[in-house]
């Protein structure tokens, strides 16, 4: 093999070793809870811990609510910006980038000052209100990823032509958005959804300062008091993240393999004919 051919393979190999060796070492350490043998005892202890199930379920529910609210906020916004207000696109992009610049601890302290029990919106005065405030914070943190995923998906289709064609068939704007545009950017929305899920599962600052029983603070608590269980939790969290990435790839392939648009317009044309 020529040197020009070996170079790229060598770079890929070094990069793979850089990321995989710490993971392999962590996994090996998690199997060493019982002296002298390899076992999944640390994983058994983790899964048997009721706090693991409670915190993981809480974070799953919070992630699901974040995905729904984020999609309802981002999809119409990206659609209207591209269709009616293209000059506002730099402003919207700047706003969605702010969560990457503003630290989460600043965000949560602002929430505590604005929405404490003595404010006009006392979210922190109850557990449900604090949970809702936490979800709002997660929506803000996921904005850069959700917006760019959806905006990229809309850039791949001609939303102006689709909108005009649907309007000529008598469709309302809500019908166009949810039955024409949304099916065509389904893969982009799912990509943003899985990235949001991965972010929420491991988030620590918001959940910790709002004192909510989320998975991130549980990871930190176990890591501060135990030895082998944190390694097992790290492997589990890594597996969840990679599972999300695999689902992104799978959903993208399924979406590109099918053609939903002609079916949607054909349905609208039949309804208009009736």
């Amino acid at each position: 093999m020529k040197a020009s051919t070996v170079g790229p393979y060598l770079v890929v190999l070094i990069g793979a070793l850089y990321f995989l060796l710490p993971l392999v070492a962590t996994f090996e350490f998690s199997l060493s809870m019982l002296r002298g043998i390899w076992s999944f005892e640390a994983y058994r202890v983790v899964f048997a811990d009721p706090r693991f199930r409670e915190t993981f379920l809480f974070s799953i529910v919070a992630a699901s609510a974040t995905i729904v609210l984020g999609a309802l906020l981002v999809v119409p916004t990206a659609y209207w910006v591209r269709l009616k207000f293209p000059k506002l696109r730099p402003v919207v992009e700047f706003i969605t980038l702010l969560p990457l610049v503003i630290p989460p601890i600043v965000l949560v302290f602002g929430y505590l000052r604005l929405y404490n029990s003595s404010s006009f919106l006392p979210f922190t005065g109850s557990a449900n209100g604090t949970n809702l405030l936490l979800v709002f914070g997660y929506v803000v943190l996921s904005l850069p990823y959700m917006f760019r995923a959806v905006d990229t998906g809309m850039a791949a289709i001609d939303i102006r032509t689709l909108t005009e064609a649907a309007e000529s068939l008598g469709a309302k704007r809500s019908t166009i958005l949810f039955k024409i545009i949304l099916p065509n950017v389904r893969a982009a929305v799912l990509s943003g959804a899985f990235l949001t899920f991965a972010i929420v599962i491991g988030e620590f600052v918001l959940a910790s300062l709002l004192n909510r029983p989320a998975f991130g603070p549980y990871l930190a608590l176990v890591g501060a008091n135990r030895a082998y269980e944190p390694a097992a939790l790290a492997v589990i969290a890594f597996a969840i993240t990679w599972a999300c990435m695999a689902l992104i790839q799978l959903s993208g392939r399924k979406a590109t393999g099918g053609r939903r648009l002609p079916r949607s317009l054909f349905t609208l044309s039949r309804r208009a004919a009736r």
Side-chain angles (χ1 to χ4, degrees):
M1 298 179 65
K2 297 181 180 180
S4 59
T5 307
V6 175
Y9 288 101
L10 185 61
V11 172
V12 172
L13 178 61
I14 293 174
L17 291 176
Y18 178 81
F19 286 105
L20 292 177
L21 284 180
L23 178 63
V24 172
T26 303
F27 179 65
E28 182 181 356
F29 182 76
S30 69
L31 300 177
S32 306
M33 188 172 183
L34 298 180
R35 183 174 299 179
I37 60 173
W38 283 358
S39 68
F40 288 93
E41 180 66 16
Y43 295 88
R44 187 196 66 78
V45 172
V46 167
F47 287 123
D49 188 354
R51 291 180 301 171
F52 169 79
R53 296 190 293 269
E54 292 171 3
T55 57
F56 192 68
L57 179 61
F58 179 88
S59 290
I60 288 178
V61 174
S64 302
T66 302
I67 290 169
V68 172
L69 288 178
L72 290 177
L73 175 65
V74 168
V75 174
T77 302
Y79 172 69
W80 281 108
V81 167
R82 282 195 167 271
L83 184 65
K84 294 292 186 180
F85 309 104
K87 293 183 179 180
L88 292 179
R89 193 160 176 269
V91 178
V92 175
E93 287 185 346
F94 175 76
I95 294 174
T96 59
L97 281 175
L98 287 178
L100 298 178
V101 180
I102 301 175
I105 192 169
V106 175
L107 177 67
V108 70
F109 271 114
Y111 282 170
L112 292 174
R113 290 293 300 273
L114 286 173
Y115 305 114
N116 56 58
S117 57
S118 60
S119 69
F120 65 101
L121 289 175
F123 281 113
T124 60
S126 64
N128 291 332
T130 308
N131 292 337
L132 187 61
L133 188 62
L134 178 66
V135 171
F136 290 161
Y138 285 160
V139 171
V140 173
L141 292 182
S142 65
L143 268 181
Y145 311 98
M146 179 67 81
F147 179 80
R148 267 146 193 79
V150 174
D151 188 61
T152 302
M154 289 193 179
I157 61 176
D158 190 351
I159 61 173
R160 186 174 299 277
T161 301
L162 297 181
T163 301
E164 292 174 355
E167 286 178 340
S168 67
L169 295 173
K172 298 180 180 179
R173 282 297 170 88
S174 58
T175 303
I176 296 171
L177 182 60
F178 291 104
K179 293 188 177 181
I180 301 297
I181 302 300
L182 187 58
N184 283 278
V185 296
R186 177 174 60 91
V189 174
L190 287 176
S191 297
F194 290 128
L195 289 174
T196 300
F197 182 84
I199 292 170
V200 172
I201 285 295
E203 201 282 326
F204 170 77
V205 176
L206 293 181
S208 178
L209 293 180
L210 290 176
N211 195 25
R212 304 317 302 147
F215 190 59
Y218 172 75
L219 285 173
L221 179 64
V222 173
N225 296 284
R226 299 184 184 181
Y228 299 98
E229 290 86 342
L233 284 171
V235 173
I236 293 171
F238 190 85
I240 292 172
T241 303
W242 274 94
C244 291
M245 299 303 293
L247 288 173
I248 290 175
Q249 296 294 328
L250 182 62
S251 62
R253 290 178 181 177
K254 287 186 177 181
T256 55
R259 296 186 177 272
R260 300 282 301 270
L261 171 62
R263 217 179 306 167
S264 302
L265 288 178
F266 181 68
T267 302
L268 285 176
S269 64
R270 287 192 302 175
R271 291 178 180 177
R274 293 175 183 176

